[in-house]
Amino acid sequence: MNESNFTNKFLKVFGIENHRHNRRDPLNILVPLVSIALALILGMIVIAASGRNPFRAYALLFGDSGLIPGGSSWPREFAELLIKSAMYIATGLSIALAFKGGLFNIGAEGQFWVGAIVATFFGYWTPVAHTFGAMYAALGSLGWIAQLLHGAVCIIMGMLAGGAWGAVAGYLYVKRGVNIVIGTIMLNWIAWFLITSWLVTGPMTPPSQTFTSGTFYIADTAKLFRIMMPTRLNTSILLVLIAAYATWFLLYKTTIGYEIRAIGYTANIGMDAPRAQGININRRVVQVMFFSGALAALGGTFFILGMQYQFPNTATMGYGWTGITVALIGQAEPIGVILAGLFIGAMRTGATSMQVANIPKTFSDIIEGMAVGFIAMQVAVRYYLVKIIHHRRARTTPPADQEATA
Amino acid sequence: MNITQINVTIAQMLDYTTPILFAALCGVLSENSGVVNIGLDGIMRFGAFFGLLGAYFSHSPWVGLLLGIAVGCAVGALHAFITIRWNGDQTVSGVAVNVIALGLMTYLLEYIFSTTGYSPQLENYFGAQAYRVHLPFLAKIPLLGALSNLSVMIWLAFILTIVLHVLLYHTVLGLRMRTCGENPKAATTLGINVFRVRWFAVIAGAALAGIGGVALSTSSFSGFSDSMPNGIGFIGLAAMIFGKWTPFGAMGAALLFGTGQIVQSIIAVTGIAPNLAPGLTLILPYVLTLAVLAGFVGRSVAPAADGLPYYKEQR
């Protein structure tokens, strides 16, 4: 009793209260959990069907995922888990926020890379890098202020650019009627080819070098602080938690957030109610796409400032796509996105170890894809869950019209 | 640039066009009945891998083609099951198909061939001389000479475009499909089983995407690479929109995008603008598609009920 009171007070300090009075349905939590469980079971069948030991595979997958403390390699795995999760949570939040506004922002991928390339640019661009370098030298023992400021400049510029990239899709949607899914897919590829086949191999590559691995390296002052020294764990996970809190606050504690949710609730039926209420839908949609793009770009800046320190020419797509999985498993709630992001980060970390058992590390994609498949089919999952629950409670009345609830 | 070079370039362009066209036709069939299929990129990946698998073990690309079609149908049935039987979100289901394809094909590639990145190369594939369609009487004619020695898959793509046009605009089934895509309620009123029509359209469309995948791994290339289809499914989607959801429009767009893919080699051969970065030409199809969608180059409007689940009981 005391404990729960304390928890409530503690949460209230941060403004986190139980706000979903109308959505206390335990199925909201059960559906993603059951989807993951079913996907893991199907994954076992895939492994067993290819003549390998599923229990050994899963022991490797979860044993080395960084979730379970212990062992000499655990700190490194834990750090990898958090570094990966930070990026997945960022893109997951991006897509979750857009979902709340009734928009499917498949463009998180492109916004992620726009954020990454802009952060790279402000990390190495001579005027900026020299200014902060000089400041670092001048401040002496207070040099961390220069690092903090340079990092902040890179992150903010990256987020602004990613947000602008997202807002383009929003603008085309409200002004020219371009479907947001199609528009963002096109913008993804435009960003990707402009960055990887032009900027990274051309204007942003150091000249007169025989071997180049990508763009210039960013200045030391732009790198994110490391917070667990032997490992490369950096502040990205803390920043993304702040971003998650900000997203939650925006959605549930501000007028803009209320209007965004009003648009999202009615997106499929014409948005008459919010329009009658005087909400400027066009402006809000562009804003949602801006915030969404900025969040995805935040993940992109982590990729550069915390991991790569340059834009590598070996970068492969996938962070934005993973963000879709994260947002869907997290049911588009910031807290759910954090948990789903940690889960997927853990799977990706542990999957590398599965190669010992001759299982490619893309195995986690199979699990994630199947989990998304079950979430797409959540009407069915809910239907059968309700059936099972009712059966357990030995009720005789059939579950009437459960299909309509979802 | 002499006539032989032009012919080679045209043939190369048609080679690039074919998988894009198959993907676009998949979209045309599926979306005209009202089901968005963003998973067609994943279905192409399935088709590409299983097409190679059949061709590799039977030493005949035709077996690969059949296997590719079968697997395409199976994945299409999964998409239909989720989106039509259970009214699932069509985009989410498509994402699921793409992600599963990404992981599962890599898994199977390493499991079956014990290699990473690339499958073994095929000796008997549609791109090989023995499997090409030889039309010697065309070889002497300028420009048409490019058509004298093409892969079967290229011809198949263009023939299927005509078949699809006839199906959609000159048969009862096609009219029913388009009705389901425009106004499923009206279709139901007329006694059309919307669900059955959509099931058919999605599975038939997925079969086309499967063929597109087979064309990629056994005609354009002689093997499967782990990066396939490298976004071609999405280019196909763009081509479908650019072509205003019609088969011939999609064909024109696919040809345009195919040309976009060979701009680099044209630049190399002709020496025009040698310093142009590849990134600036690669984005052309996508910029054009956005321009069309935004109404700068003629409006393109989707079928009215495209992407919406159909609830029979809903008002």
Side-chain angles (χ1 to χ4, degrees):
Chain A
M1 192 66 197
N2 278 334
E3 200 180 81
S4 72
N5 271 346
F6 173 75
T7 318
N8 280 342
K9 275 180 188 163
F10 177 79
L11 291 177
K12 265 184 185 163
V13 171
F14 291 92
I16 303 170
E17 296 153 47
N18 188 4
H19 52 274
R20 283 170 289 157
H21 298 291
N22 54 341
R23 300 178 70 195
R24 282 222 187 115
D25 192 350
L27 284 180
N28 288 342
I29 300 163
L30 265 180
V31 165
L33 289 180
V34 168
S35 297
I36 290 173
L38 288 173
L40 285 171
I41 292 167
L42 280 178
M44 287 178 103
I45 295 172
V46 169
I47 297 176
S50 52
R52 289 152 185 162
N53 184 348
F55 297 102
R56 171 151 183 261
Y58 277 23
L60 286 167
L61 175 66
F62 289 106
D64 289 346
S65 65
L67 282 178
I68 302 157
S72 57
S73 58
W74 176 69
R76 185 187 58 76
E77 287 156 2
F78 183 64
E80 290 301 310
L81 153 70
L82 292 183
I83 290 172
K84 287 194 166 87
S85 299
M87 291 185 288
Y88 300 146
I89 294 171
T91 50
L93 284 172
S94 157
I95 287 155
L97 180 62
F99 271 147
K100 283 289 178 194
L103 303 165
F104 201 146
N105 175 19
I106 280 191
E109 186 73 47
Q111 293 142 14
F112 181 94
W113 295 115
V114 169
I117 197 75
V118 171
T120 316
F121 179 72
F122 282 95
Y124 79 74
W125 191 40
T126 322
V128 176
H130 277 196
T131 310
F132 287 108
M135 192 197 274
Y136 181 80
L139 284 168
S141 64
L142 289 176
W144 57 270
I145 296 176
Q147 290 177 294
L148 201 69
L149 288 175
H150 194 182
V153 165
C154 294
I155 289 175
I156 290 169
M157 295 317 277
M159 286 178 80
L160 286 177
W165 199 252
V168 169
Y171 176 83
L172 287 172
Y173 172 56
V174 296
K175 289 290 178 195
R176 316 291 310 195
V178 180
N179 180 304
I180 213 98
V181 172
I182 304 297
T184 49
I185 287 177
M186 298 303 125
L187 285 167
N188 272 350
W189 292 101
I190 293 172
W192 178 252
F193 285 126
L194 277 183
I195 291 168
T196 59
S197 303
W198 177 45
L199 291 174
V200 173
T201 53
M204 291 173 77
T205 311
S208 69
Q209 280 187 18
T210 46
F211 175 75
T212 51
S213 54
T215 62
F216 292 97
Y217 279 91
I218 60 172
D220 282 340
T221 44
K223 294 174 183 174
L224 291 177
F225 295 112
R226 296 199 170 179
I227 53 176
M228 208 168 89
M229 216 26 209
T231 67
R232 55 176 193 164
L233 181 61
N234 54 49
T235 47
S236 60
I237 186 72
L238 303 177
L239 292 172
V240 87
L241 288 179
I242 296 170
Y245 176 73
T247 309
W248 176 87
F249 192 86
L250 173 77
L251 276 174
Y252 293 106
K253 293 288 157 187
T254 64
T255 315
I256 293 181
Y258 163 75
E259 296 187 358
I260 290 171
R261 285 181 293 131
I263 293 170
Y265 281 134
T266 53
N268 276 343
I269 48 173
M271 299 181 280
D272 289 336
R275 194 173 288 120
Q277 211 180 24
I279 294 174
N280 188 338
I281 291 175
N282 286 2
R283 177 181 289 177
R284 289 288 171 261
V285 164
V286 176
Q287 279 170 343
V288 168
M289 288 306 292
F290 179 84
F291 292 137
S292 178
L295 283 166
L298 179 67
T301 65
F302 295 161
F303 181 73
I304 302 298
L305 307 176
M307 283 176 73
Q308 301 286 342
Y309 305 137
Q310 59 156 189
F311 198 106
N313 54 16
T314 52
T316 48
M317 280 183 137
Y319 293 94
W321 291 106
T322 308
I324 300 173
T325 313
V326 170
L328 289 169
I329 293 178
Q331 299 281 289
E333 294 292 338
I335 181 73
V337 166
I338 293 174
L339 296 175
L342 288 171
F343 173 72
I344 297 219
M347 290 240 299
R348 295 281 173 93
T349 309
T352 319
S353 297
M354 291 176 88
Q355 285 165 326
V356 180
N358 289 323
I359 293 168
K361 64 178 178 183
T362 51
F363 178 78
S364 66
D365 283 327
I366 304 178
I367 303 282
E368 289 161 25
M370 289 193 295
V372 173
F374 282 114
I375 285 181
M377 224 163 55
Q378 59 177 299
V379 176
V381 174
R382 274 167 195 266
Y383 175 76
Y384 286 112
L385 274 177
V386 167
K387 243 186 171 175
I388 292 165
I389 292 166
H390 277 248
H391 187 71
R392 280 277 165 79
R393 287 176 185 165
R395 290 196 178 167
T396 45
T397 46
D401 281 328
Q402 281 302 333
E403 269 176 282
T405 58
Chain B
M1 206 170 179
N2 61 34
I3 201 78
T4 325
Q5 273 176 322
I6 292 173
N7 280 350
V8 168
T9 314
I10 292 175
Q12 200 187 357
M13 183 268 281
L14 291 173
D15 219 25
Y16 276 114
T17 303
T18 305
I20 302 175
L21 180 53
F22 277 120
L25 292 180
C26 162
V28 167
L29 197 53
S30 185
E31 300 210 0
N32 267 303
S33 81
V35 181
V36 170
N37 192 350
I38 249 184
L40 64 89
D41 202 64
I43 299 173
M44 282 184 82
R45 191 168 162 84
F46 271 97
F49 182 77
F50 282 93
L52 168 107
L53 199 68
Y56 182 78
F57 285 110
S58 69
H59 303 289
S60 159
W62 294 105
V63 177
L65 180 62
L66 289 179
L67 195 60
I69 293 174
V71 170
C73 287
V75 182
L78 175 71
H79 184 63
F81 179 73
I82 294 175
T83 58
I84 301 170
R85 169 67 183 85
W86 287 105
N87 282 329
D89 189 300
Q90 297 171 2
T91 312
V92 175
S93 172
V95 169
V97 168
N98 283 340
V99 179
I100 292 174
L102 194 66
L104 197 60
M105 294 308 106
T106 310
Y107 189 89
L108 290 175
L109 179 67
E110 298 196 16
Y111 172 65
I112 295 172
F113 296 109
S114 306
T115 59
T116 47
Y118 296 91
S119 76
Q121 296 299 300
L122 291 170
E123 281 173 21
N124 296 314
Y125 67 109
F126 287 118
Q129 281 301 328
Y131 290 91
R132 284 176 185 236
V133 180
H134 296 283
L135 301 168
F137 60 93
L138 283 174
K140 292 282 180 279
I141 310 167
L143 293 183
L144 284 181
L147 308 178
S148 63
N149 187 19
L150 291 177
S151 159
V152 173
M153 297 303 276
I154 297 176
W155 288 108
L156 185 62
F158 289 97
I159 292 167
L160 280 175
T161 309
I162 299 166
V163 170
L164 211 58
H165 176 82
V166 173
L167 172 72
L168 274 177
Y169 299 104
H170 299 285
T171 67
V172 176
L173 181 60
L175 182 65
R176 287 182 175 179
M177 277 185 198
R178 288 184 291 129
T179 317
C180 293
E182 290 291 346
N183 193 338
K185 197 90 238 176
T188 306
T189 319
L190 292 171
I192 299 169
N193 187 337
V194 175
F195 301 108
R196 194 182 292 170
V197 171
R198 285 189 171 180
W199 267 92
F200 170 78
V202 171
I203 291 179
L208 288 173
I211 303 175
V214 176
L216 205 56
S217 66
T218 70
S219 174
S220 302
F221 299 93
S222 58
F224 178 81
S225 89
D226 204 16
S227 64
M228 275 180 189
N230 217 349
I232 287 178
F234 290 110
I235 303 185
L237 214 56
M240 169 200 74
I241 299 162
F242 199 86
K244 306 183 179 180
W245 281 267
T246 63
F248 284 130
M251 184 180 78
L255 284 168
L256 185 68
F257 293 175
T259 315
Q261 299 283 324
I262 57 154
V263 166
Q264 279 304 308
S265 52
I266 293 177
I267 287 170
V269 171
T270 57
I272 305 165
N275 294 323
L276 196 65
L280 299 177
T281 53
L282 285 171
I283 63 167
L284 271 178
Y286 309 102
V287 174
L288 277 174
T289 307
L290 271 184
V292 167
L293 280 173
F296 298 126
V297 195
R299 208 97 172 94
S300 175
V301 182
D306 199 12
L308 302 175
Y310 176 55
Y311 301 94
K312 222 173 186 175
E313 294 82 7
Q314 204 176 42
R315 273 189 299 124

